[in-house]
Amino acid sequence: MSQNLALMLGELQTQIYWLHDAEKFTELANAAAGIYTKLGYVQEQSETAGKLISEAYQLADDADLAYKAGNYDREMQFYDQVKDKLIAVETILNYQNSIAIHQMQWWLHFRHKQKLQIIIHLFLQHFKAVGFVHIFTAMKLTYYLIEIGRVHKQRDIETTKRNAIKYWVELLKTKPPQYPYLG
């Protein structure tokens, strides 16, 4: 069961990245909602979380445009809105430990091509969710997400999907009280 669930979640996660690139935000919201439904959240929670995640992606794109235009203040305003959307997702999903700031931060650092900062925030996002007992798992999850980003950038959908499935297999083994994935 866990392997089948990881397969479905990995496929949905992969879809999200390609839907984001295609700017198909309604479909992205549906894919994100599908992840949370498969993780056992009720439909209404999942749909609301998916919609907020899609809005966070759109705001991050707006932040990137502001960054490219040299408007740092506007960029940070957009990233604050991203963080607020992700905090709302956590609230809807009843998360106890906030990881939204790390999700937002690694998105920001990804756009700024600051690799060390990306790794730090990816790790903290996972570490806060899975806990000290699973510190090595948090490292593996960070590695898988870095690999997902690397091969996605190369437009390799199959390797992206394989890495996303590995990510979910590893994560599901921990049976976390909350999931570190916010989109």
Side-chain angles (χ1 to χ4, degrees):
M1 171 60 179
S2 189
Q3 185 70 24
N4 288 337
L5 179 59
L7 177 67
M8 289 184 282
L9 294 171
E11 288 176 355
L12 287 167
Q13 182 179 357
T14 302
Q15 284 178 22
I16 288 171
Y17 300 135
W18 263 262
L19 291 167
H20 174 240
D21 290 350
E23 297 183 1
K24 294 184 177 182
F25 294 106
T26 300
E27 293 90 339
L28 187 155
N30 292 336
I35 286 176
Y36 292 107
T37 301
K38 300 271 184 230
L39 290 173
Y41 292 93
V42 297
Q43 191 67 32
E44 186 178 343
Q45 277 178 303
S46 298
E47 288 174 1
T48 303
K51 182 177 180 287
L52 288 165
I53 289 167
S54 177
E55 291 169 3
Y57 268 100
Q58 291 173 65
L59 288 164
D61 288 349
D62 292 339
D64 190 44
L65 291 174
Y67 168 66
K68 289 175 180 171
N71 190 340
Y72 176 78
D73 290 336
R74 189 76 177 128
E75 177 193 14
M76 290 300 104
Q77 289 172 350
F78 282 123
Y79 278 120
D80 281 342
Q81 292 175 39
V82 167
K83 181 185 68 180
D84 292 343
K85 294 288 181 185
L86 296 175
I87 288 171
V89 171
E90 292 174 330
T91 301
I92 288 161
L93 300 176
N94 298 313
Y95 281 13
Q96 299 303 307
N97 297 317
S98 182
I99 57 172
I101 187 73
H102 298 297
Q103 176 85 33
M104 180 276 293
Q105 286 288 331
W106 82 255
W107 281 4
L108 180 150
H109 294 298
F110 178 80
R111 301 282 175 94
H112 288 225
K113 299 177 181 14
Q114 297 169 322
K115 292 177 183 178
L116 181 59
Q117 291 298 317
I118 297 166
I119 293 167
I120 289 168
H121 287 286
L122 276 172
F123 172 74
L124 290 172
Q125 180 176 342
H126 289 91
F127 180 71
K128 279 187 171 181
V130 300
F132 187 75
V133 131
H134 297 290
I135 191 168
F136 293 113
T137 299
M139 287 182 213
K140 284 186 200 176
L141 295 171
T142 300
Y143 170 76
Y144 288 136
L145 274 184
I146 290 167
E147 281 300 294
I148 288 167
R150 185 182 66 75
V151 295
H152 172 70
K153 191 175 174 183
Q154 296 172 351
R155 314 308 303 150
D156 183 347
I157 194 166
E158 288 307 314
T159 305
T160 300
K161 190 184 307 181
R162 278 195 301 276
N163 283 318
I165 292 166
K166 288 177 187 177
Y167 172 89
W168 284 103
V169 165
E170 199 64 40
L171 178 57
L172 292 172
K173 285 179 194 175
T174 69
K175 298 178 176 51
Q178 73 181 48
Y179 294 92
Y181 181 79
L182 292 178

